[in-house]
Amino acid sequence: MLKSARKKAAPKDPEGRMPLVEHLRELRNRLVKALLAIVPLMVLAMFFAKDIGEFITEPIRVCENEAEARALDGRCPILSQNGLTSPFTTYVKVSLITALVAAAPVWLYQMWAFLAPGLHRHEKKYALSVVAFGTPLFLTGALLAHWLLPHAIPVLLGFSMDGTTNIITVDDMIDISVKLVLAFGLAFQLPLVLVLLNLGGVLSGRRMLGWWRGMVLGISVFAAMVTPTDPLSMIALAAPITVLYFAAVAFSLFHDRRKAARDPDAALSDDEASELDLTPETVAPSSFPAQADRGSGRSGHDDVT
């Protein structure tokens, strides 16, 4: 009988180990599957790119009458698109951003599927929790950024010189919107990262609590750097992240206490020895029968010397 020309698939390693060529082939397959989800969504988003672009540029308050111009002290911004190819480029950029956001569950799963074979069972559970809790946190930060932008733009336009006109391009508006969404969304991942480090045994809740002064200062500096110049933007970003930080510390302390209750030695650091119980205890009588020592005439001892 003729043997099949197809090679039998090599048995999978239970620990997820594979040669470098197999890793590269697996990475290629995952990237192709992610692109197969992104490209059709990008083509579909191009039909709605104009509406999406208007939604992104909505915070720019363009003066439509004299009353609005007086309300802005004559500092009416002008929304423009410079160049012949700028409208098409904007369509492509808006469609690509929309497709990346819409296809996030697909490429996040492909990323997890590529890393999962090399993870332990509890690490896989943690990876799934990243997708489950990280996505709502990112969306919360993105919504906060979108809410904040209309309040920050008038403050920024208030620094304009008298008699000048602000010409704002659509590309600039899209860029600042994307930057704010990414900054707010990634900043909201801080508590999730701290919790995962605690669950992995890297950081203890007590150590994170000892960092609270530096963390509050670092969060404030980060909020001042990534947000516009008005205090409202800084407070709107720093306040929820600080609350989420202390929530992560509280969860870590609770987790460490439960872990110490189950295994007292698990709460110790690598360079800390466990406590020894040096309380004397009564020695139980020997279970061997007493034998008489014929040479010395003493009984109850087995002394061959």
Side-chain angles (χ1 to χ4, degrees):
M1 297 178 63
L2 296 176
K3 295 183 179 181
S4 175
R6 296 181 58 185
K7 294 183 179 179
K8 294 183 178 180
K12 293 185 177 180
D13 193 299
E15 298 184 2
R17 292 173 297 189
M18 61 179 67
L20 177 61
V21 177
E22 294 295 331
H23 275 293
L24 296 177
R25 185 178 292 112
E26 179 73 10
L27 178 61
R28 181 199 61 187
N29 295 336
R30 297 298 176 185
L31 289 176
V32 169
K33 291 179 181 179
L35 289 176
L36 288 177
I38 293 174
V39 172
L41 289 175
M42 181 178 174
V43 175
L44 180 63
M46 292 192 70
F47 293 96
F48 306 95
K50 185 176 181 180
D51 297 331
I52 299 173
E54 292 177 354
F55 175 76
I56 295 176
T57 58
E58 184 180 1
I60 298 294
R61 184 180 175 184
V62 180
C63 300
E64 297 180 356
N65 49 53
E66 295 182 359
E68 294 183 356
R70 287 193 300 267
L72 294 176
D73 296 331
R75 301 185 181 95
C76 296
I78 298 176
L79 194 62
S80 66
Q81 289 183 285
N82 300 329
L84 184 62
T85 60
S86 178
F88 177 75
T89 305
T90 303
Y91 261 61
V92 174
K93 183 184 295 186
V94 171
S95 303
L96 178 59
I97 295 173
T98 304
L100 288 174
V101 174
V106 177
W107 56 261
L108 281 177
Y109 172 78
Q110 296 300 328
M111 182 187 302
W112 173 82
F114 177 72
L115 298 175
L119 299 177
H120 298 289
R121 180 172 298 178
H122 68 282
E123 292 173 336
K124 294 179 182 179
K125 180 178 64 176
Y126 296 159
L128 288 176
S129 65
V130 170
V131 179
F133 293 97
T135 302
L137 287 174
F138 184 87
L139 292 178
T140 303
L143 291 175
L144 181 61
H146 181 72
W147 171 84
L148 182 65
L149 201 55
H151 298 80
I153 287 178
V155 177
L156 295 176
L157 294 178
F159 292 96
S160 301
M161 299 294 181
D162 295 335
T164 60
T165 302
N166 288 285
I167 301 177
I168 304 173
T169 63
V170 177
D171 290 340
D172 291 341
M173 192 61 195
I174 293 175
D175 291 340
I176 191 174
S177 300
V178 171
K179 289 178 181 178
L180 277 181
V181 167
L182 289 178
F184 277 61
L186 294 178
F188 270 63
Q189 305 299 312
L190 173 65
L192 182 61
V193 173
L194 293 177
V195 169
L196 289 176
L197 291 176
N198 177 258
L199 294 176
V202 179
L203 282 178
S204 64
R206 184 177 299 179
R207 178 172 296 183
M208 284 190 286
L209 183 60
W211 294 348
W212 74 270
R213 294 180 180 86
M215 290 297 297
V216 172
L217 178 61
I219 291 172
S220 302
V221 172
F222 173 78
M225 292 176 59
V226 301
T227 56
T229 55
D230 60 305
L232 175 63
S233 304
M234 175 181 171
I235 296 174
L237 178 59
I241 296 179
T242 303
V243 173
L244 290 174
Y245 163 72
F246 282 108
V249 171
F251 175 85
S252 300
L253 290 173
F254 175 74
H255 174 261
D256 292 344
R257 183 175 298 178
R258 290 188 58 187
K259 188 176 180 181
R262 292 194 302 265
D263 185 5
D265 293 338
L268 299 175
S269 60
D270 295 336
D271 56 352
E272 185 179 0
S274 59
E275 296 182 359
L276 297 178
D277 187 5
L278 302 179
T279 305
E281 296 181 356
T282 305
V283 179
S286 176
S287 60
F288 295 98
Q291 296 180 0
D293 189 355
R294 297 179 181 178
S296 60
R298 293 176 296 177
S299 61
H301 300 278
D302 186 13
D303 189 1
V304 297
T305 59

